[in-house]
Amino acid sequence: ARSELARERGLSPVEFLALLLDDEIERRCNARIARMEKAAGFERLRFLNQFDFAAIPTLDRSVVLEMASCQFIERKENWLLVGPTGVGKSHLATAVGYEGIKRDLRVLSYPTHRLLGELHASRADGSLAGIMRKLASCDLLILDDFGLRPVNAQGSEDLYEIIQLRYERGSIILTSNRSPTEWGDVFGDALLASAALDRLTHHARITVMTGESYRQKSRR
């Protein structure tokens, strides 16, 4: 196809070679993004251009676009998304995570309860240290549905350890349908909760989303 194009346009050998190199660069870039997408562990890939801002009129679009620039990740800051079920918190978290991947940033994404389950299981096979290193070293960690399910004492300690490891070293996007005033209840231990939330919220933007569930609108 490129040979035919070169003949049609009368490209010189150098121009033809440049065309082939552009193709190879694009192929490698797409392959790298695909590898990083898979490594991130998104449950479902979402994009920013798919988000319906009109459905959440109280949401400041400029804030979302600012976070999509990923400068907060470079500054090692956090983004906390709070609101009822179905208003698009996970969508925004995933979309911004994908923007990070496009900028060659390492992203990991987990439903919070699944991550805690994996950490619990890893104690049996000795892989805990490796998982914690991976969680500590990525550029952005997405913790989805924080506080949705009860957390036992070990899970609370693991959450604290993750937040402590990433404090001022890497960014967290956290989504929750609980008010921030209730987050301490997730830990069960008041002292542990205070230490964890102090670090989590120190360098953070909190965005409160209100509105009706997309899923309920679709059901009707």
Side-chain angles (χ1 to χ4, degrees), residues 11-21:
L11 299 182
S12 70
V14 172
E15 290 172 325
F16 178 52
L17 177 59
L19 192 64
L20 295 180
L21 290 175

Side-chain angles (χ1 to χ4, degrees), residues 103-161:
R103 290 162 174 78
D104 206 25
L105 299 172
R106 294 167 297 164
V107 178
L108 290 176
S109 178
Y110 292 90
T112 304
H113 72 275
R114 195 188 79 196
L115 174 58
L116 296 179
E118 287 187 13
L119 292 176
H120 177 74
S122 70
R123 287 180 166 83
D125 60 17
S127 61
L128 177 63
I131 295 176
M132 294 301 285
R133 280 195 300 270
K134 185 171 70 169
L135 294 173
S137 63
C138 66
D139 297 298
L140 173 64
L141 175 63
I142 299 174
L143 296 177
D144 198 20
D145 287 333
F146 174 79
L148 183 64
R149 299 189 185 184
V151 176
N152 61 24
Q154 184 61 65
S156 296
E157 291 182 14
D158 288 340
L159 273 175
Y160 169 77
E161 183 68 14

Side-chain angles (χ1 to χ4, degrees), residues 2 7 16 22 35 39 47 60-61 63 74 79 108 133 136 144-145 162 171 178 181-183 193 205 211:
R2 289 308 191 193
R7 283 193 293 270
F16 178 52
D22 283 343
R35 288 194 302 271
F47 305 103
D60 189 341
R61 182 195 290 256
V63 169
E74 297 172 8
W79 190 24
L108 290 176
R133 280 195 300 270
D144 198 20
D145 287 333
I162 292 166
S171 295
R178 286 187 174 218
T181 58
E182 300 178 79
W183 290 358
R205 181 190 291 271

Side-chain angles (χ1 to χ4, degrees), residues 81-87 89 175-180 207-211:
L81 289 160
V82 184
T85 298
V87 294
K89 302 184 301 296
T175 76
S176 180
N177 60 8
R178 286 187 174 218
S179 164
T207 298
V208 179
M209 300 173 64
T210 59

Side-chain angles (χ1 to χ4, degrees), residues 193-208:
S194 177
L197 297 179
D198 183 58
R199 288 166 172 78
L200 183 66
T201 59
H202 182 205
H203 303 295
R205 181 190 291 271
I206 300 177
T207 298
V208 179

Side-chain angles (χ1 to χ4, degrees), residues 23-76:
D23 286 345
E24 177 62 11
I25 290 170
E26 183 179 5
R27 185 195 67 79
R28 291 188 182 192
C29 180
N30 291 337
R32 175 183 56 78
I33 289 176
R35 288 194 302 271
M36 294 178 74
E37 278 178 25
K38 184 176 181 180
F42 297 124
E43 290 196 310
R44 181 180 299 177
L45 196 56
R46 298 288 192 183
F47 305 103
L48 202 57
N49 61 9
Q50 298 171 333
F51 188 80
D52 184 6
F53 284 94
I56 312 292
T58 58
L59 180 63
D60 189 341
R61 182 195 290 256
S62 65
V63 169
V64 176
L65 296 180
E66 178 188 345
M67 305 313 280
S69 73
C70 298
Q71 292 180 15
F72 80 101
I73 302 176
E74 297 172 8
R75 296 191 297 262
K76 318 297 185 188

